[in-house]
């Protein structure tokens, strides 16, 4: 029993020691050109810590951002956003180790979600900028002149991502990488998490992408397969299945479109013009298609052929534009590569199914037409009368099946 107690004490001591060692208050800067800091914060995500001194009379902050447990093939960044809590508009300090072993450290203003962290001037002055990489830990040092800031509570963000050669590549867009934002209170020496809004906007972007991918990119093509191939096997059941399916896809698509509008209104200065225009065109064509069902002529109407041409042309256009816009959306969101692979695999699967159904349908139609032709040869008068009656009952004068 005493041994169990002793082991428990040792484990508890190790746990406390490990936790204490990870605290920013226990860290000492030993390099000659680095000073001690009076304030620090254990940032809640990505193994990061911030140390700083702030002089309110000169509005100057000396900071040291530490990012631990980081491989030499990755970059890190710490930023202040003067205008919002999100990524766009933030003023970043970026650092990483280049392939030759030298450190690259520079400033980068973030102007879009598709940023490649290009070097540029920030909205405030930065001096004494340097960085080190020691024991799998990158530290960025800088002096910030915050004359344009009216508050001592700042929106801060921090991030990490992979390198592509000697250039930063896109960071992960899920998990803690979407939560690494918070409030920095320069005077109180505290920081708090304020990532709720950023996380909420990220969830909306994901929902927007999911709804549109399901509706325009998957359900709409399947609905066309219903109309194209089921009519040979189940007439008129195919029509009701096609209509209900496409209306459901339309409702989901409108929900995704509306989510996109809300995202646009919440993202001032951010605009993906091509993606937005295609989205409006899709909504307009789909609404027109749904409304045109109320004006569909009967089968024997002389204008029915023109309506059919219009209906098919608009339907195929919606599917093509929907797929194009989904890939544009994937390029904007930049999710993990597997999601784009899954969608491409889905399209390939639908294409294979369509090809098989096309062959099967033509075989069935040819076989039925041969059967009709043989019957005509044996009893042309009786079949003619029967087809005349059935054709007029169904509103058509066809005696042969068509695909």
């Amino acid at each position: 029993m005493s041994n169990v107690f002793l082991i428990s004490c040792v484990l508890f001591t190790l746990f406390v020691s490990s936790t204490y060692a990870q605290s920013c208050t226990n860290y000492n800067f030993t390099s000659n050109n680095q000073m001690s800091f009076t304030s620090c914060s254990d940032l809640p995500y990505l193994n990061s810590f911030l140390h700083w001194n702030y002089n309110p009379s000169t509005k100057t902050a000396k900071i040291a951002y530490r990012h631990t447990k980081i491989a030499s093939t990755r970059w890190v960044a710490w930023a202040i956003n003067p205008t919002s809590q999100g990524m766009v508009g933030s003023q970043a300090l970026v650092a990483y180790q280049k392939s030759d072993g030298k450190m690259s450290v520079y400033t980068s203003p973030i102007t879009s979600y598709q940023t490649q962290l290009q070097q540029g001037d920030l909205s405030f002055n930065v001096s004494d900028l340097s960085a080190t990489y020691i024991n799998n830990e990158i530290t960025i040092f800088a002096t910030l002149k915050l004359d344009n800031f009216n508050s001592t509570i700042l929106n801060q963000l921090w991030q990490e991502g992979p390198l592509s050669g000697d250039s930063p590549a896109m960071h992960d867009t899920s998990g803690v990488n979407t939560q690494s934002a918070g409030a920095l209170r320069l005077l109180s020496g505290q920081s708090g998490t304020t990532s709720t809004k950023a996380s909420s906007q990220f969830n909306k972007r994901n929902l927007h992408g999911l709804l549109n991918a399901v509706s325009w990119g998957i359900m709409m093509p399947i609905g066309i397969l219903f109309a194209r191939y089921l009519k040979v096997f189940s007439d008129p059941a195919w029509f009701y299945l096609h209509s209900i399916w496409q209306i459901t896809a339309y409702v989901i698509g409108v929900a995704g479109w509306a989510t996109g509008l809300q995202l646009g209104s919440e993202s001032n200065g951010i605009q993906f013009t091509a993606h937005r225009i295609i989205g409006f065109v899709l909504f307009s064509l789909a609404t027109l298609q749904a409304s045109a069902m109320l004006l569909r002529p009967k089968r024997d109407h002389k204008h029915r052929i023109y309506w059919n041409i219009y209906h098919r042309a608009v339907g195929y256009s919606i599917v093509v534009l929907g797929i194009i816009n989904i890939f544009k959306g994937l390029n904007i969101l930049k999710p993990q590569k597997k999601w784009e692979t899954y969608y491409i695999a889905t399209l390939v699967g639908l294409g294979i199914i369509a090809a098989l159904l096309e062959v099967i349908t033509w075989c069935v139609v040819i076989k039925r037409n041969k059967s009709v032709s043989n019957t005509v040869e044996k009893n042309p008068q009786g079949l003619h009368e029967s087809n005349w009656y059935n054709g007029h009952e169904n509103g058509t004068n066809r005696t042969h099946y068509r695909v």
Side-chain angles (χ1 to χ4, degrees):
M1 191 73 173
S2 60
N3 290 336
V4 173
F5 177 76
L6 179 62
I7 292 172
S8 299
C9 290
V10 171
L11 292 175
F12 177 76
T13 302
L14 290 174
F15 173 76
V16 171
S17 300
S18 174
T19 303
Y20 181 68
Q22 289 299 314
S23 172
C24 67
T25 57
N26 192 44
Y27 189 83
N28 293 318
F29 293 91
T30 57
S31 181
N32 293 332
N33 63 343
Q34 294 160 12
M35 59 183 300
S36 60
F37 295 89
T38 57
S39 301
C40 72
S41 174
D42 300 337
L43 301 179
Y45 306 107
L46 299 177
N47 303 309
S48 298
F49 307 87
L50 184 69
H51 305 254
W52 74 93
N53 294 327
Y54 180 67
N55 186 334
S57 62
T58 61
K59 290 190 173 182
T60 301
K62 295 181 180 292
I63 66 100
Y65 168 71
R66 295 171 44 230
H67 199 116
T68 65
K69 301 178 182 178
I70 189 76
S72 60
T73 55
R74 298 182 69 80
W75 57 265
V76 304
W78 178 83
I80 293 174
N81 193 328
T83 58
S84 69
Q85 296 174 358
M87 170 182 166
V88 176
S90 59
Q91 309 293 299
L93 310 178
V94 183
Y96 56 88
Q97 187 180 54
K98 297 190 293 185
S99 56
D100 61 4
K102 297 179 180 179
M103 291 300 296
S104 175
V105 57
Y106 58 90
T107 58
S108 177
I110 310 301
T111 57
S112 74
Y113 288 108
Q114 295 177 297
T115 180
Q116 296 181 357
L117 295 177
Q118 299 92 336
Q119 186 170 345
D121 294 332
L122 303 187
S123 61
F124 50 86
N125 292 328
V126 177
S127 59
D128 304 324
L129 183 60
S130 64
T132 61
Y133 181 60
I134 302 173
N135 297 327
N136 295 325
E137 178 178 310
I138 293 179
T139 305
I140 301 175
F141 299 92
T143 300
L144 314 179
K145 198 74 169 66
L146 305 176
D147 292 328
N148 298 328
F149 290 77
N150 297 322
S151 173
T152 58
I153 301 177
L154 309 178
N155 301 314
Q156 66 170 335
L157 304 91
W158 59 99
Q159 194 56 263
E160 68 165 88
L163 290 172
S164 177
D166 279 342
S167 300
M170 184 66 184
H171 64 76
D172 288 341
T173 55
S174 60
V176 293
N177 290 84
T178 66
Q179 300 172 326
S180 52
L184 172 61
R185 296 171 177 83
L186 292 172
L187 292 179
S188 65
Q190 298 176 353
S191 66
T193 303
T194 60
S195 60
T196 303
K197 182 177 179 180
S199 180
S200 174
Q201 193 173 44
F202 174 78
N203 291 333
K204 285 181 184 177
R205 290 200 302 270
N206 279 351
L207 178 63
H208 168 70
L210 178 64
L211 291 175
N212 287 312
V214 169
S215 59
W216 310 113
I218 297 177
M219 291 187 69
M220 287 287 184
I222 292 175
I224 287 181
L225 296 184
F226 290 159
R228 172 71 178 166
Y229 301 112
L230 292 188
K231 65 173 65 175
V232 176
F233 304 98
S234 56
D235 189 11
W238 71 268
F239 171 76
Y240 299 107
L241 180 60
H242 170 70
S243 301
I244 293 172
W245 186 271
Q246 297 299 68
I247 288 173
T248 303
Y250 171 73
V251 171
I252 296 173
V254 169
W257 178 75
T259 306
L261 289 181
Q262 186 178 16
L263 280 170
S265 65
E266 294 175 353
S267 306
N268 295 328
I270 306 171
Q271 195 169 41
F272 303 100
T273 305
H275 185 67
R276 182 182 179 88
I277 291 174
I278 294 175
F280 274 105
V281 172
L282 271 174
F283 171 74
S284 301
L285 289 178
T287 302
L288 180 65
Q289 189 83 315
S291 303
M293 292 299 296
L294 303 175
L295 303 175
R296 184 171 64 104
K298 293 182 179 180
R299 283 187 176 183
D300 58 348
H301 195 282
K302 64 180 181 179
H303 292 148
R304 177 59 181 264
I305 186 173
Y306 303 111
W307 189 92
N308 286 342
I309 293 172
Y310 143 80
H311 184 68
R312 291 171 182 171
V314 173
Y316 286 122
S317 298
I318 289 172
V319 169
V320 171
L321 287 174
I323 293 173
I324 290 173
N325 221 26
I326 286 166
F327 280 107
K328 286 189 174 295
L330 287 170
N331 188 50
I332 293 169
L333 279 178
K334 294 189 182 300
Q336 296 181 23
K337 188 67 178 178
K338 64 180 181 180
W339 297 111
E340 184 174 352
T341 302
Y342 291 159
Y343 182 62
I344 292 174
T346 301
L347 293 181
V348 171
L350 290 177
I352 293 173
I353 292 172
L356 292 174
L357 288 175
E358 188 74 21
V359 173
I360 294 171
T361 302
W362 274 106
C363 291
V364 171
V365 168
I366 292 172
K367 183 177 180 181
R368 287 181 180 176
N369 284 339
K370 284 183 179 179
S371 176
V372 170
S373 299
N374 291 336
T375 306
V376 168
E377 292 176 0
K378 293 178 180 179
N379 187 12
Q381 183 62 30
L383 182 64
H384 173 75
E385 292 175 354
S386 174
N387 280 333
W388 184 90
Y389 176 78
N390 290 330
H392 279 75
E393 280 289 301
N394 294 319
T396 178
N397 272 320
R398 294 178 299 175
T399 57
H400 283 68
Y401 295 93
R402 293 187 299 174
V403 178

